Amino acid sequence: MSAFDPAKNVPGHIAIIMDGNGRWAAARGLPRRDGHRAGAESVEAVLRACGDLGVGYLTLYAFSSENWKRPESEIDALMGLLAHFLKEKTPVLMENNIRLKVIGHLDRLPGRNQRQLEKSIALTAKNDGLTLVVALSYGSREEIVDAARALMEKAKSGELDPAALDVETFARHLHTVGIPDPDLLIRTSGECRVSNFLLWQISYAEIVITDVFWPDFRRPHLEEAIGEYQRRHRRFGGL
Ligand code: IPE
Ligand code: IPE
Ligand code: MG
């Protein structure tokens, strides 16, 4: 039913709110961390599919600024999985010509994760296939406030005339500087909300929500979402 056409307009940037790991585990009587571990396999499947399909950017919401409210044991499990994933998958990123980028407050992550991320980012910096953007300790409102603060500093020092501030200048002060806006936003597990993800950048994104839990999400689900995107008529306020 996907009616997905690889020769048609494949979205240049897909952003995904990878949700439902905990419920996937609960449905199987497993601890939540097993859901997160299974979710890491979906990441690899989606990465490969996006590379094959010629998608330019894939942004994955991996850990929100609000997720710090979770119990320490769950946060530790997630950071442990991130470390494991980077160790195992950095060679896969290299083999597949994938460039890694990160958005969010990296400085809030454990030092070990920060160092590993910096290494993988540097190692993959020259790859020119798919760009994988991982949102870690990311919150869109904080990102917008960071941008406002930076702009105010520039105005104070005389580097920027407040009257000259426009949308493009503002966007250049977001964590996503240099990354085009998402064309397609997918959220798994049926929740119909954006949970502080890319509020500025998704202004004109097409939104597809699927009931599938993230650990079950595979290439056919991605193709189905792209098929739905291809059937939409984007108007950007015009006719
Ligand atoms: C998404 O799955 C992963 C993260 C938010 C880190 P959840 O952990 O939110 O799973 P549910 O929503 O409780 O099922
Ligand atoms: C959004 O999922 C964050 C990530 C997927 C990393 P949550 O599970 O944290 O969102 P809420 O709490 O249901 O809004
Ligand atoms: Mg959730």
Side-chain angles (χ1 to χ4, degrees), residues 113-127:
N113 294 94
Q114 289 185 38
R115 285 188 295 277
Q116 242 188 333
L117 282 163
E118 280 158 13
K119 254 171 75 179
S120 296
I121 290 167
L123 193 68
T124 62
K126 290 205 168 71
N127 290 345

Side-chain angles (χ1 to χ4, degrees), residues 17-25 32 36 61-64 67 70 74 78 187 189 191 193 213-214:
I17 303 176
M18 309 183 289
D19 198 15
N21 295 353
R23 279 162 285 163
W24 180 92
R32 291 179 59 87
H36 297 312
Y61 204 7
F63 193 86
S64 74
N67 289 148
R70 295 190 181 194
E74 172 147 348
L78 284 164
R187 183 164 186 153
S189 88
E191 304 291 2
R193 53 179 173 260
F213 290 140
W214 177 249

Side-chain angles (χ1 to χ4, degrees), residues 108-179:
R108 294 190 196 151
L109 300 181
R112 166 173 86 132
N113 294 94
Q114 289 185 38
R115 285 188 295 277
Q116 242 188 333
L117 282 163
E118 280 158 13
K119 254 171 75 179
S120 296
I121 290 167
L123 193 68
T124 62
K126 290 205 168 71
N127 290 345
D128 59 3
L130 174 71
T131 297
L132 168 65
V133 185
V134 184
L136 284 165
S137 192
Y138 173 86
S140 189
R141 287 182 164 182
E142 286 162 329
E143 178 192 31
I144 291 169
V145 170
D146 288 343
R149 187 183 301 107
L151 288 160
M152 283 157 79
E153 292 291 348
K154 286 187 180 175
K156 206 165 75 178
S157 70
E159 198 186 321
L160 177 82
D161 172 8
L165 180 61
D166 56 15
V167 167
E168 288 72 29
T169 307
F170 198 97
R172 276 200 301 278
H173 291 78
L174 295 168
H175 298 181
T176 49
V177 55
I179 300 170

Side-chain angles (χ1 to χ4, degrees), residues 33-235:
R33 73 159 286 143
D34 287 5
H36 297 312
R37 191 183 300 126
E41 284 169 37
S42 304
V43 170
E44 184 164 359
V46 167
L47 258 180
R48 287 185 188 279
C50 284
D52 292 349
L53 297 170
V55 172
Y57 293 81
L58 173 68
T59 298
L60 299 176
Y61 204 7
F63 193 86
S64 74
S65 22
E66 288 73 23
N67 289 148
W68 291 114
K69 291 184 211 157
R70 295 190 181 194
E72 210 178 296
S73 57
E74 172 147 348
I75 294 172
D76 287 350
L78 284 164
M79 295 304 153
L81 277 169
L82 172 63
H84 181 75
F85 184 86
L86 285 169
K87 189 163 177 273
E88 289 256 295
K89 305 302 177 199
T90 299
V92 177
L93 300 182
M94 290 307 291
E95 276 160 35
N96 291 279
N97 194 22
I98 298 170
R99 174 171 66 143
L100 177 68
K101 279 182 176 275
V102 171
I103 54 173
H105 279 275
L106 274 202
D107 52 326
R108 294 190 196 151
L109 300 181
R112 166 173 86 132
N113 294 94
Q114 289 185 38
R115 285 188 295 277
Q116 242 188 333
L117 282 163
E118 280 158 13
K119 254 171 75 179
S120 296
I121 290 167
L123 193 68
T124 62
K126 290 205 168 71
N127 290 345
D128 59 3
L130 174 71
T131 297
L132 168 65
V133 185
V134 184
L136 284 165
S137 192
Y138 173 86
S140 189
R141 287 182 164 182
E142 286 162 329
E143 178 192 31
I144 291 169
V145 170
D146 288 343
R149 187 183 301 107
L151 288 160
M152 283 157 79
E153 292 291 348
K154 286 187 180 175
K156 206 165 75 178
S157 70
E159 198 186 321
L160 177 82
D161 172 8
L165 180 61
D166 56 15
V167 167
E168 288 72 29
T169 307
F170 198 97
R172 276 200 301 278
H173 291 78
L174 295 168
H175 298 181
T176 49
V177 55
I179 300 170
D181 288 342
D183 300 293
L184 170 62
L185 172 68
I186 300 171
R187 183 164 186 153
T188 58
S189 88
E191 304 291 2
C192 299
R193 53 179 173 260
V194 289
S195 303
N196 204 13
F197 188 46
L198 300 176
L199 301 180
W200 170 286
Q201 297 87 344
I202 60 170
S203 293
Y204 272 101
E206 294 297 325
I207 300 175
V208 172
I209 292 169
T210 167
D211 286 335
V212 173
F213 290 140
W214 177 249
D216 287 328
F217 194 90
R218 288 292 181 276
R219 186 177 181 132
H221 305 106
L222 179 74
E223 292 186 352
E224 195 165 319
I226 297 175
E228 162 109 33
Y229 169 86
Q230 290 176 332
R231 287 190 294 278
R232 305 258 180 102
H233 178 204
R234 299 181 83 185
R235 282 185 289 274

